[in-house]
């Protein structure tokens, strides 16, 4: 069996953002520049981050992954390629998006093949909740994109229902339910699904300025309280 070699921790340090995480983070501080930032939650073995960072060196990619072994595995892939536009945090994406990502700071969020937690009693462990989707809507700039994919039809229905119920997200035309990928596969799990002939469901939502601001409100991206409408 092929064993993946991990580089020594000293060589991975430039890629790792370690706790305690500031509330909120400063992207220029994290990346040393003010390029646009995209986040992937649950990056696993990091294929999407590595390929995206190679293809778009002018974009900063920030990965959040709950398992340390995948953080270090992906950091090794980045270090081997000497990529400078990716940082990785080991954290629970639900908490991290809510507490540490500056509002209206992201050009895009990517969530590919989130764990479905099949058993009903385990559904509370799922990444997608109304609170997580609201945190993602907070974190996106107006016009920013929320990309989702999964091969689990039931979970896809839950994910898209939650996004559709979030007033600051609008589906991009023809994006919901389509199975066309911009490349042959984006992630390790997508590759596995394709090899098994399992259909992949994908969707993309855009952050919208939901309502016109009332007099005195200077930020048109925020939803005023119901009493103000
Ligand atoms: C099914 S894998 C998909 C990995 C990758 N996105 C892909 O498509 O190949 C789900 C990944 O999400 C991570 N994960 C699960 N819950 C998470 C959470 N709450 N926050 C961050 N990552 C999480 C898992 O450790 C795992 O690496």
């Amino acid at each position: 069996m092929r064993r993946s070699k991990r580089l020594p921790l000293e060589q991975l340090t430039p890629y790792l953002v370690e706790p305690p995480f500031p509330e909120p983070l400063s992207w220029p501080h994290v990346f040393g520049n003010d390029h646009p930032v995209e986040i992937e939650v649950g990056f696993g073995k990091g294929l999407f981050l590595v390929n995206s960072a190679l293809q778009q060196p002018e974009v900063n990619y920030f990965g959040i992954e709950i398992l340390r072994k995948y953080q270090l595995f992906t950091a090794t892939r980045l270090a081997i390629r000497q990529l400078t536009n990716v940082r990785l945090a080991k954290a629970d994406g639900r908490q991290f998006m809510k507490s540490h990502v500056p509002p209206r700071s992201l050009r895009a969020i990517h969530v590919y093949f989130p764990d479905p937690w099949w058993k009903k009693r385990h559904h509370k462990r799922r990444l997608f909740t109304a609170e997580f989707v609201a945190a993602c809507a907070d974190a996106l700039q107006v016009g920013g994109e929320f990309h989702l994919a999964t091969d689990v039809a039931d979970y896809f229905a839950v994910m898209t229902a939650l996004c559709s119920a979030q007033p600051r997200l609008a589906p991009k035309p023809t994006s919901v339910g389509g199975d066309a990928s911009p490349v042959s596969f984006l992630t390790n799990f997508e590759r596995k699904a394709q090899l098994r002939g399992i259909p992949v469901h994908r969707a993309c939502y855009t952050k919208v300025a939901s309502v016109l601001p009332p007099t005195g409100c200077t930020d048109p991206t925020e939803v005023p309280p119901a009493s103000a409408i």
Side-chain angles (χ1 to χ4, degrees), residues 40-44 64-67 70 91-94 112-113 115 127 187-189:
E40 184 184 12
V41 183
F43 57 77
I64 306 166
E65 166 59 53
I66 206 161
L67 294 181
Y70 288 142
D92 184 331
R94 294 172 295 188
Y112 299 129
F113 299 78
D115 288 330
L127 182 65
T187 74
N188 202 42
F189 267 70

Side-chain angles (χ1 to χ4, degrees), residues 107-136:
R107 191 172 86 160
I109 299 171
H110 306 264
V111 185
Y112 299 129
F113 299 78
D115 288 330
W117 292 107
W118 296 100
K119 291 181 182 164
K120 201 164 183 186
R121 69 174 188 277
H122 291 158
H123 281 187
K124 57 180 177 293
R125 299 181 191 169
R126 283 178 167 178
L127 182 65
F128 269 82
T129 61
E131 197 182 20
F132 174 72
V133 171
C136 290

Side-chain angles (χ1 to χ4, degrees), residues 121-207:
R121 69 174 188 277
H122 291 158
H123 281 187
K124 57 180 177 293
R125 299 181 191 169
R126 283 178 167 178
L127 182 65
F128 269 82
T129 61
E131 197 182 20
F132 174 72
V133 171
C136 290
D138 283 343
L140 285 170
Q141 303 160 349
V142 170
E145 295 190 339
F146 192 16
H147 297 269
L148 325 171
T150 176
D151 57 353
V152 182
D154 291 356
Y155 195 19
F156 183 69
V158 171
M159 291 156 66
T160 49
L162 288 167
C163 290
S164 300
Q166 169 50 247
R168 288 167 296 159
L169 295 177
K172 275 189 89 174
T174 71
S175 77
V176 178
D179 61 358
S181 174
V183 292
S184 54
F185 54 84
L186 288 176
T187 74
N188 202 42
F189 267 70
E190 180 156 17
R191 185 171 159 271
K192 286 185 197 172
Q194 282 187 8
L195 288 173
R196 291 180 194 145
I198 300 170
V200 170
H201 310 275
R202 58 179 67 253
C204 178
Y205 292 81
T206 311
K207 163 93 170 260

Side-chain angles (χ1 to χ4, degrees), residues 42-60:
F43 57 77
K45 292 187 174 176
L47 186 63
F48 171 77
L49 289 176
V50 170
N51 285 338
S52 302
L54 278 168
Q55 286 158 17
Q56 300 203 79
E58 76 295 349
V59 176
N60 292 326

Side-chain angles (χ1 to χ4, degrees), residues 43-46 49-50 70-78 88:
F43 57 77
K45 292 187 174 176
L49 289 176
V50 170
Y70 288 142
Q71 184 197 29
L72 299 180
F73 181 92
T74 299
T76 295
R77 296 179 99 175
L78 298 169
L88 308 172

